Amino acid sequence: MSGATGAGSAASGASGARGPATDSQGVTVTTYDKGPLPGERPAAAQQTAQPYQPPQAYSTQGGGTVRRPRTGATTMPRTRKARLRVARADPWSVMKVSFLLSIALGICTVVAAAVLWMVMDAMGVFSTVGGTISEATGSNESNGFDLQAFLSLPRVLIFTSVIAVIDVVLATALATLGAFIYNLSAGFVGGVELTLAEDE
């Protein structure tokens, strides 16, 4: 459409392009009389263009000053804290945890009783105390109280095991009941508030 005509012709620009004109259908076109097209311009103009560089706040060339960080300044780390509230304790989880802890406590009780009995027997406590009780209760007629036979190791372990089983049942029941009571009280007062902080 280089020969299109319009209502009027525009003046040629520096690049050789004339102003916009309209053809017979009313479409605006641009014609070029002389000079290269925009895509055929020499590459020298493109090579001389420098990339854009933003201005620097502190110049590092010539006699400009360079800002250096202060080495003597000490920064104290800020400890973050979070305030949380225990709104509800699950009774089922409390029962499981208390059951396992009470079993562990019962096993420790039985083992501690056995070790204590062995230590006291090695020290001769039962024989000494048993002899004193036998003399006081009339051992000459062979009807005195024998402490060493009464406090034998199997009997002590059986008695301690019964105490441990009772402790397991009671501790589990009391812990579960305590979880229910805590949930009821937390519904009125909001529960126990905790403040947690990061380790420094």
Side-chain angles (χ1 to χ4, degrees), residues 126-161:
F126 295 117
S127 60
T128 303
V129 177
T132 304
I133 294 177
S134 297
E135 291 177 0
T137 55
S139 61
N140 295 331
E141 290 83 6
S142 298
N143 55 2
F145 180 75
D146 191 2
L147 179 65
Q148 193 169 3
F150 179 76
L151 294 179
S152 61
L153 181 60
R155 186 172 292 182
V156 170
L157 291 180
I158 291 174
F159 179 75
T160 309
S161 300

PDB file of all heavy atoms in Angstrom, residues 126-161:
ATOM      1  N   PHE A 126      16.869 -58.622 109.719  1.00  0.00           N
ATOM      2  CA  PHE A 126      15.768 -59.522 110.038  1.00  0.00           C
ATOM      3  C   PHE A 126      16.146 -60.511 111.154  1.00  0.00           C
ATOM      4  O   PHE A 126      15.344 -60.809 112.036  1.00  0.00           O
ATOM      5  CB  PHE A 126      15.329 -60.287 108.788  1.00  0.00           C
ATOM      6  CG  PHE A 126      14.743 -59.407 107.720  1.00  0.00           C
ATOM      7  CD1 PHE A 126      15.358 -59.299 106.485  1.00  0.00           C
ATOM      8  CD2 PHE A 126      13.586 -58.696 107.953  1.00  0.00           C
ATOM      9  CE1 PHE A 126      14.819 -58.499 105.494  1.00  0.00           C
ATOM     10  CE2 PHE A 126      13.036 -57.894 106.962  1.00  0.00           C
ATOM     11  CZ  PHE A 126      13.661 -57.788 105.728  1.00  0.00           C
ATOM     12  N   SER A 127      17.369 -61.010 111.099  1.00  0.00           N
ATOM     13  CA  SER A 127      17.782 -61.964 112.127  1.00  0.00           C
ATOM     14  C   SER A 127      17.903 -61.300 113.487  1.00  0.00           C
ATOM     15  O   SER A 127      17.490 -61.864 114.522  1.00  0.00           O
ATOM     16  CB  SER A 127      19.115 -62.614 111.730  1.00  0.00           C
ATOM     17  OG  SER A 127      20.120 -61.623 111.586  1.00  0.00           O
ATOM     18  N   THR A 128      18.432 -60.089 113.509  1.00  0.00           N
ATOM     19  CA  THR A 128      18.596 -59.399 114.787  1.00  0.00           C
ATOM     20  C   THR A 128      17.250 -59.022 115.384  1.00  0.00           C
ATOM     21  O   THR A 128      16.976 -59.289 116.569  1.00  0.00           O
ATOM     22  CB  THR A 128      19.446 -58.135 114.584  1.00  0.00           C
ATOM     23  OG1 THR A 128      20.708 -58.497 114.013  1.00  0.00           O
ATOM     24  CG2 THR A 128      19.673 -57.432 115.906  1.00  0.00           C
ATOM     25  N   VAL A 129      16.409 -58.395 114.584  1.00  0.00           N
ATOM     26  CA  VAL A 129      15.095 -57.983 115.076  1.00  0.00           C
ATOM     27  C   VAL A 129      14.247 -59.216 115.380  1.00  0.00           C
ATOM     28  O   VAL A 129      13.511 -59.252 116.387  1.00  0.00           O
ATOM     29  CB  VAL A 129      14.402 -57.065 114.059  1.00  0.00           C
ATOM     30  CG1 VAL A 129      12.998 -56.701 114.528  1.00  0.00           C
ATOM     31  CG2 VAL A 129      15.226 -55.808 113.840  1.00  0.00           C
ATOM     32  N   GLY A 130      14.371 -60.275 114.567  1.00  0.00           N
ATOM     33  CA  GLY A 130      13.604 -61.499 114.821  1.00  0.00           C
ATOM     34  C   GLY A 130      14.022 -62.180 116.104  1.00  0.00           C
ATOM     35  O   GLY A 130      13.180 -62.711 116.842  1.00  0.00           O
ATOM     36  N   GLY A 131      15.320 -62.181 116.387  1.00  0.00           N
ATOM     37  CA  GLY A 131      15.783 -62.780 117.649  1.00  0.00           C
ATOM     38  C   GLY A 131      15.274 -62.010 118.856  1.00  0.00           C
ATOM     39  O   GLY A 131      14.887 -62.606 119.871  1.00  0.00           O
ATOM     40  N   THR A 132      15.280 -60.698 118.761  1.00  0.00           N
ATOM     41  CA  THR A 132      14.770 -59.887 119.872  1.00  0.00           C
ATOM     42  C   THR A 132      13.281 -60.133 120.104  1.00  0.00           C
ATOM     43  O   THR A 132      12.815 -60.266 121.252  1.00  0.00           O
ATOM     44  CB  THR A 132      15.012 -58.399 119.577  1.00  0.00           C
ATOM     45  OG1 THR A 132      16.409 -58.189 119.337  1.00  0.00           O
ATOM     46  CG2 THR A 132      14.551 -57.544 120.739  1.00  0.00           C
ATOM     47  N   ILE A 133      12.516 -60.225 119.023  1.00  0.00           N
ATOM     48  CA  ILE A 133      11.082 -60.465 119.173  1.00  0.00           C
ATOM     49  C   ILE A 133      10.822 -61.874 119.698  1.00  0.00           C
ATOM     50  O   ILE A 133       9.915 -62.094 120.516  1.00  0.00           O
ATOM     51  CB  ILE A 133      10.374 -60.223 117.816  1.00  0.00           C
ATOM     52  CG1 ILE A 133      10.468 -58.754 117.420  1.00  0.00           C
ATOM     53  CG2 ILE A 133       8.913 -60.660 117.878  1.00  0.00           C
ATOM     54  CD1 ILE A 133       9.873 -58.449 116.071  1.00  0.00           C
ATOM     55  N   SER A 134      11.612 -62.829 119.268  1.00  0.00           N
ATOM     56  CA  SER A 134      11.429 -64.208 119.742  1.00  0.00           C
ATOM     57  C   SER A 134      11.708 -64.324 121.235  1.00  0.00           C
ATOM     58  O   SER A 134      10.998 -65.029 121.966  1.00  0.00           O
ATOM     59  CB  SER A 134      12.349 -65.156 118.963  1.00  0.00           C
ATOM     60  OG  SER A 134      12.014 -65.155 117.598  1.00  0.00           O
ATOM     61  N   GLU A 135      12.732 -63.648 121.728  1.00  0.00           N
ATOM     62  CA  GLU A 135      13.032 -63.663 123.156  1.00  0.00           C
ATOM     63  C   GLU A 135      11.929 -62.975 123.961  1.00  0.00           C
ATOM     64  O   GLU A 135      11.593 -63.395 125.078  1.00  0.00           O
ATOM     65  CB  GLU A 135      14.366 -62.983 123.417  1.00  0.00           C
ATOM     66  CG  GLU A 135      15.568 -63.768 122.890  1.00  0.00           C
ATOM     67  CD  GLU A 135      16.868 -63.022 123.108  1.00  0.00           C
ATOM     68  OE1 GLU A 135      16.822 -61.895 123.679  1.00  0.00           O
ATOM     69  OE2 GLU A 135      17.911 -63.531 122.687  1.00  0.00           O
ATOM     70  N   ALA A 136      11.369 -61.905 123.360  1.00  0.00           N
ATOM     71  CA  ALA A 136      10.336 -61.183 124.084  1.00  0.00           C
ATOM     72  C   ALA A 136       9.012 -61.942 124.110  1.00  0.00           C
ATOM     73  O   ALA A 136       8.211 -61.779 125.032  1.00  0.00           O
ATOM     74  CB  ALA A 136      10.117 -59.810 123.458  1.00  0.00           C
ATOM     75  N   THR A 137       8.757 -62.775 123.135  1.00  0.00           N
ATOM     76  CA  THR A 137       7.477 -63.491 123.071  1.00  0.00           C
ATOM     77  C   THR A 137       7.567 -64.925 123.573  1.00  0.00           C
ATOM     78  O   THR A 137       6.616 -65.693 123.414  1.00  0.00           O
ATOM     79  CB  THR A 137       6.958 -63.499 121.613  1.00  0.00           C
ATOM     80  OG1 THR A 137       7.960 -64.057 120.766  1.00  0.00           O
ATOM     81  CG2 THR A 137       6.609 -62.096 121.161  1.00  0.00           C
ATOM     82  N   GLY A 138       8.686 -65.345 124.150  1.00  0.00           N
ATOM     83  CA  GLY A 138       8.819 -66.681 124.737  1.00  0.00           C
ATOM     84  C   GLY A 138       9.174 -67.740 123.735  1.00  0.00           C
ATOM     85  O   GLY A 138       8.357 -68.598 123.409  1.00  0.00           O
ATOM     86  N   SER A 139      10.382 -67.663 123.223  1.00  0.00           N
ATOM     87  CA  SER A 139      10.832 -68.647 122.247  1.00  0.00           C
ATOM     88  C   SER A 139      11.266 -69.953 122.900  1.00  0.00           C
ATOM     89  O   SER A 139      11.521 -70.925 122.224  1.00  0.00           O
ATOM     90  CB  SER A 139      11.993 -68.087 121.427  1.00  0.00           C
ATOM     91  OG  SER A 139      13.089 -67.773 122.277  1.00  0.00           O
ATOM     92  N   ASN A 140      11.396 -69.986 124.270  1.00  0.00           N
ATOM     93  CA  ASN A 140      11.822 -71.213 124.939  1.00  0.00           C
ATOM     94  C   ASN A 140      10.779 -72.320 124.773  1.00  0.00           C
ATOM     95  O   ASN A 140      11.115 -73.500 124.723  1.00  0.00           O
ATOM     96  CB  ASN A 140      12.047 -70.958 126.426  1.00  0.00           C
ATOM     97  CG  ASN A 140      13.201 -69.989 126.663  1.00  0.00           C
ATOM     98  OD1 ASN A 140      14.138 -69.927 125.867  1.00  0.00           O
ATOM     99  ND2 ASN A 140      13.121 -69.229 127.746  1.00  0.00           N
ATOM    100  N   GLU A 141       9.519 -71.938 124.687  1.00  0.00           N
ATOM    101  CA  GLU A 141       8.472 -72.934 124.481  1.00  0.00           C
ATOM    102  C   GLU A 141       8.194 -73.160 122.994  1.00  0.00           C
ATOM    103  O   GLU A 141       7.226 -73.846 122.646  1.00  0.00           O
ATOM    104  CB  GLU A 141       7.167 -72.478 125.154  1.00  0.00           C
ATOM    105  CG  GLU A 141       7.255 -72.503 126.675  1.00  0.00           C
ATOM    106  CD  GLU A 141       7.900 -71.239 127.213  1.00  0.00           C
ATOM    107  OE1 GLU A 141       8.156 -70.312 126.389  1.00  0.00           O
ATOM    108  OE2 GLU A 141       8.168 -71.185 128.408  1.00  0.00           O
ATOM    109  N   SER A 142       8.997 -72.564 122.127  1.00  0.00           N
ATOM    110  CA  SER A 142       8.905 -72.712 120.662  1.00  0.00           C
ATOM    111  C   SER A 142       7.575 -72.208 120.111  1.00  0.00           C
ATOM    112  O   SER A 142       7.053 -72.717 119.128  1.00  0.00           O
ATOM    113  CB  SER A 142       9.078 -74.190 120.245  1.00  0.00           C
ATOM    114  OG  SER A 142      10.350 -74.648 120.633  1.00  0.00           O
ATOM    115  N   ASN A 143       7.027 -71.206 120.775  1.00  0.00           N
ATOM    116  CA  ASN A 143       5.807 -70.603 120.262  1.00  0.00           C
ATOM    117  C   ASN A 143       5.964 -69.095 120.077  1.00  0.00           C
ATOM    118  O   ASN A 143       4.991 -68.379 120.082  1.00  0.00           O
ATOM    119  CB  ASN A 143       4.628 -70.884 121.195  1.00  0.00           C
ATOM    120  CG  ASN A 143       4.936 -70.430 122.613  1.00  0.00           C
ATOM    121  OD1 ASN A 143       6.004 -69.888 122.877  1.00  0.00           O
ATOM    122  ND2 ASN A 143       3.995 -70.650 123.521  1.00  0.00           N
ATOM    123  N   GLY A 144       7.203 -68.629 119.924  1.00  0.00           N
ATOM    124  CA  GLY A 144       7.461 -67.212 119.725  1.00  0.00           C
ATOM    125  C   GLY A 144       7.180 -66.787 118.278  1.00  0.00           C
ATOM    126  O   GLY A 144       7.027 -67.611 117.378  1.00  0.00           O
ATOM    127  N   PHE A 145       7.159 -65.468 118.090  1.00  0.00           N
ATOM    128  CA  PHE A 145       6.890 -64.893 116.761  1.00  0.00           C
ATOM    129  C   PHE A 145       8.179 -64.882 115.960  1.00  0.00           C
ATOM    130  O   PHE A 145       9.184 -64.324 116.401  1.00  0.00           O
ATOM    131  CB  PHE A 145       6.324 -63.475 116.905  1.00  0.00           C
ATOM    132  CG  PHE A 145       6.027 -62.826 115.573  1.00  0.00           C
ATOM    133  CD1 PHE A 145       4.927 -63.199 114.837  1.00  0.00           C
ATOM    134  CD2 PHE A 145       6.882 -61.851 115.064  1.00  0.00           C
ATOM    135  CE1 PHE A 145       4.655 -62.600 113.618  1.00  0.00           C
ATOM    136  CE2 PHE A 145       6.611 -61.256 113.839  1.00  0.00           C
ATOM    137  CZ  PHE A 145       5.495 -61.630 113.109  1.00  0.00           C
ATOM    138  N   ASP A 146       8.168 -65.518 114.777  1.00  0.00           N
ATOM    139  CA  ASP A 146       9.338 -65.580 113.904  1.00  0.00           C
ATOM    140  C   ASP A 146       9.200 -64.511 112.822  1.00  0.00           C
ATOM    141  O   ASP A 146       8.442 -64.676 111.854  1.00  0.00           O
ATOM    142  CB  ASP A 146       9.457 -66.975 113.287  1.00  0.00           C
ATOM    143  CG  ASP A 146      10.803 -67.175 112.588  1.00  0.00           C
ATOM    144  OD1 ASP A 146      11.631 -66.237 112.628  1.00  0.00           O
ATOM    145  OD2 ASP A 146      11.012 -68.244 111.995  1.00  0.00           O
ATOM    146  N   LEU A 147       9.922 -63.393 112.986  1.00  0.00           N
ATOM    147  CA  LEU A 147       9.833 -62.277 112.029  1.00  0.00           C
ATOM    148  C   LEU A 147      10.445 -62.631 110.690  1.00  0.00           C
ATOM    149  O   LEU A 147       9.924 -62.252 109.641  1.00  0.00           O
ATOM    150  CB  LEU A 147      10.518 -61.044 112.621  1.00  0.00           C
ATOM    151  CG  LEU A 147      10.530 -59.796 111.741  1.00  0.00           C
ATOM    152  CD1 LEU A 147       9.108 -59.298 111.518  1.00  0.00           C
ATOM    153  CD2 LEU A 147      11.403 -58.720 112.364  1.00  0.00           C
ATOM    154  N   GLN A 148      11.537 -63.376 110.704  1.00  0.00           N
ATOM    155  CA  GLN A 148      12.223 -63.699 109.457  1.00  0.00           C
ATOM    156  C   GLN A 148      11.375 -64.609 108.568  1.00  0.00           C
ATOM    157  O   GLN A 148      11.398 -64.493 107.343  1.00  0.00           O
ATOM    158  CB  GLN A 148      13.566 -64.357 109.762  1.00  0.00           C
ATOM    159  CG  GLN A 148      14.492 -64.457 108.558  1.00  0.00           C
ATOM    160  CD  GLN A 148      15.891 -64.860 108.945  1.00  0.00           C
ATOM    161  OE1 GLN A 148      16.156 -65.124 110.140  1.00  0.00           O
ATOM    162  NE2 GLN A 148      16.788 -64.905 107.979  1.00  0.00           N
ATOM    163  N   ALA A 149      10.611 -65.521 109.174  1.00  0.00           N
ATOM    164  CA  ALA A 149       9.725 -66.383 108.390  1.00  0.00           C
ATOM    165  C   ALA A 149       8.502 -65.599 107.890  1.00  0.00           C
ATOM    166  O   ALA A 149       7.979 -65.870 106.804  1.00  0.00           O
ATOM    167  CB  ALA A 149       9.282 -67.583 109.216  1.00  0.00           C
ATOM    168  N   PHE A 150       8.046 -64.630 108.687  1.00  0.00           N
ATOM    169  CA  PHE A 150       6.883 -63.850 108.277  1.00  0.00           C
ATOM    170  C   PHE A 150       7.220 -62.890 107.143  1.00  0.00           C
ATOM    171  O   PHE A 150       6.421 -62.703 106.221  1.00  0.00           O
ATOM    172  CB  PHE A 150       6.349 -63.077 109.488  1.00  0.00           C
ATOM    173  CG  PHE A 150       5.157 -62.220 109.163  1.00  0.00           C
ATOM    174  CD1 PHE A 150       3.908 -62.798 108.995  1.00  0.00           C
ATOM    175  CD2 PHE A 150       5.294 -60.854 109.029  1.00  0.00           C
ATOM    176  CE1 PHE A 150       2.815 -62.011 108.691  1.00  0.00           C
ATOM    177  CE2 PHE A 150       4.200 -60.062 108.732  1.00  0.00           C
ATOM    178  CZ  PHE A 150       2.948 -60.633 108.561  1.00  0.00           C
ATOM    179  N   LEU A 151       8.409 -62.266 107.198  1.00  0.00           N
ATOM    180  CA  LEU A 151       8.835 -61.309 106.172  1.00  0.00           C
ATOM    181  C   LEU A 151       9.787 -61.958 105.181  1.00  0.00           C
ATOM    182  O   LEU A 151      10.855 -61.425 104.875  1.00  0.00           O
ATOM    183  CB  LEU A 151       9.489 -60.103 106.823  1.00  0.00           C
ATOM    184  CG  LEU A 151       8.581 -59.223 107.683  1.00  0.00           C
ATOM    185  CD1 LEU A 151       9.364 -58.078 108.286  1.00  0.00           C
ATOM    186  CD2 LEU A 151       7.408 -58.694 106.863  1.00  0.00           C
ATOM    187  N   SER A 152       9.400 -63.108 104.657  1.00  0.00           N
ATOM    188  CA  SER A 152      10.217 -63.757 103.636  1.00  0.00           C
ATOM    189  C   SER A 152      10.082 -63.002 102.305  1.00  0.00           C
ATOM    190  O   SER A 152       9.132 -62.245 102.082  1.00  0.00           O
ATOM    191  CB  SER A 152       9.799 -65.221 103.467  1.00  0.00           C
ATOM    192  OG  SER A 152       8.447 -65.297 103.051  1.00  0.00           O
ATOM    193  N   LEU A 153      11.027 -63.263 101.414  1.00  0.00           N
ATOM    194  CA  LEU A 153      11.041 -62.537 100.139  1.00  0.00           C
ATOM    195  C   LEU A 153       9.807 -62.826  99.272  1.00  0.00           C
ATOM    196  O   LEU A 153       9.220 -61.886  98.724  1.00  0.00           O
ATOM    197  CB  LEU A 153      12.328 -62.861  99.374  1.00  0.00           C
ATOM    198  CG  LEU A 153      12.500 -62.153  98.013  1.00  0.00           C
ATOM    199  CD1 LEU A 153      12.489 -60.640  98.197  1.00  0.00           C
ATOM    200  CD2 LEU A 153      13.784 -62.605  97.334  1.00  0.00           C
ATOM    201  N   PRO A 154       9.371 -64.073  99.128  1.00  0.00           N
ATOM    202  CA  PRO A 154       8.154 -64.296  98.312  1.00  0.00           C
ATOM    203  C   PRO A 154       6.928 -63.587  98.880  1.00  0.00           C
ATOM    204  O   PRO A 154       6.133 -63.015  98.123  1.00  0.00           O
ATOM    205  CB  PRO A 154       7.979 -65.811  98.330  1.00  0.00           C
ATOM    206  CG  PRO A 154       9.338 -66.346  98.596  1.00  0.00           C
ATOM    207  CD  PRO A 154       9.977 -65.345  99.509  1.00  0.00           C
ATOM    208  N   ARG A 155       6.790 -63.606 100.202  1.00  0.00           N
ATOM    209  CA  ARG A 155       5.628 -62.936 100.789  1.00  0.00           C
ATOM    210  C   ARG A 155       5.699 -61.427 100.591  1.00  0.00           C
ATOM    211  O   ARG A 155       4.684 -60.772 100.320  1.00  0.00           O
ATOM    212  CB  ARG A 155       5.555 -63.286 102.275  1.00  0.00           C
ATOM    213  CG  ARG A 155       4.317 -62.762 102.964  1.00  0.00           C
ATOM    214  CD  ARG A 155       4.217 -63.301 104.377  1.00  0.00           C
ATOM    215  NE  ARG A 155       3.954 -64.727 104.363  1.00  0.00           N
ATOM    216  CZ  ARG A 155       3.771 -65.453 105.482  1.00  0.00           C
ATOM    217  NH1 ARG A 155       3.829 -64.869 106.666  1.00  0.00           N
ATOM    218  NH2 ARG A 155       3.541 -66.755 105.404  1.00  0.00           N
ATOM    219  N   VAL A 156       6.882 -60.867 100.691  1.00  0.00           N
ATOM    220  CA  VAL A 156       7.043 -59.424 100.478  1.00  0.00           C
ATOM    221  C   VAL A 156       6.742 -59.050  99.030  1.00  0.00           C
ATOM    222  O   VAL A 156       6.075 -58.044  98.747  1.00  0.00           O
ATOM    223  CB  VAL A 156       8.467 -58.989 100.884  1.00  0.00           C
ATOM    224  CG1 VAL A 156       8.739 -57.566 100.441  1.00  0.00           C
ATOM    225  CG2 VAL A 156       8.660 -59.115 102.389  1.00  0.00           C
ATOM    226  N   LEU A 157       7.201 -59.870  98.088  1.00  0.00           N
ATOM    227  CA  LEU A 157       6.948 -59.574  96.678  1.00  0.00           C
ATOM    228  C   LEU A 157       5.461 -59.703  96.340  1.00  0.00           C
ATOM    229  O   LEU A 157       4.926 -58.903  95.558  1.00  0.00           O
ATOM    230  CB  LEU A 157       7.776 -60.507  95.790  1.00  0.00           C
ATOM    231  CG  LEU A 157       9.293 -60.273  95.820  1.00  0.00           C
ATOM    232  CD1 LEU A 157       9.996 -61.258  94.904  1.00  0.00           C
ATOM    233  CD2 LEU A 157       9.632 -58.848  95.440  1.00  0.00           C
ATOM    234  N   ILE A 158       4.781 -60.689  96.924  1.00  0.00           N
ATOM    235  CA  ILE A 158       3.346 -60.826  96.669  1.00  0.00           C
ATOM    236  C   ILE A 158       2.594 -59.624  97.224  1.00  0.00           C
ATOM    237  O   ILE A 158       1.703 -59.055  96.554  1.00  0.00           O
ATOM    238  CB  ILE A 158       2.829 -62.145  97.280  1.00  0.00           C
ATOM    239  CG1 ILE A 158       3.391 -63.343  96.514  1.00  0.00           C
ATOM    240  CG2 ILE A 158       1.306 -62.181  97.263  1.00  0.00           C
ATOM    241  CD1 ILE A 158       3.052 -64.675  97.131  1.00  0.00           C
ATOM    242  N   PHE A 159       2.932 -59.220  98.431  1.00  0.00           N
ATOM    243  CA  PHE A 159       2.263 -58.070  99.035  1.00  0.00           C
ATOM    244  C   PHE A 159       2.525 -56.791  98.224  1.00  0.00           C
ATOM    245  O   PHE A 159       1.611 -55.992  97.983  1.00  0.00           O
ATOM    246  CB  PHE A 159       2.756 -57.908 100.481  1.00  0.00           C
ATOM    247  CG  PHE A 159       2.141 -56.743 101.190  1.00  0.00           C
ATOM    248  CD1 PHE A 159       0.830 -56.806 101.648  1.00  0.00           C
ATOM    249  CD2 PHE A 159       2.858 -55.583 101.412  1.00  0.00           C
ATOM    250  CE1 PHE A 159       0.250 -55.736 102.305  1.00  0.00           C
ATOM    251  CE2 PHE A 159       2.291 -54.504 102.063  1.00  0.00           C
ATOM    252  CZ  PHE A 159       0.985 -54.584 102.513  1.00  0.00           C
ATOM    253  N   THR A 160       3.755 -56.610  97.762  1.00  0.00           N
ATOM    254  CA  THR A 160       4.087 -55.429  96.961  1.00  0.00           C
ATOM    255  C   THR A 160       3.380 -55.449  95.610  1.00  0.00           C
ATOM    256  O   THR A 160       2.941 -54.398  95.112  1.00  0.00           O
ATOM    257  CB  THR A 160       5.602 -55.348  96.755  1.00  0.00           C
ATOM    258  OG1 THR A 160       6.270 -55.454  98.015  1.00  0.00           O
ATOM    259  CG2 THR A 160       5.999 -54.042  96.111  1.00  0.00           C
ATOM    260  N   SER A 161       3.233 -56.624  95.021  1.00  0.00           N
ATOM    261  CA  SER A 161       2.531 -56.723  93.740  1.00  0.00           C
ATOM    262  C   SER A 161       1.057 -56.371  93.877  1.00  0.00           C
ATOM    263  O   SER A 161       0.483 -55.703  93.004  1.00  0.00           O
ATOM    264  CB  SER A 161       2.677 -58.146  93.172  1.00  0.00           C
ATOM    265  OG  SER A 161       4.031 -58.467  92.970  1.00  0.00           O
TER     266      SER A 161
END
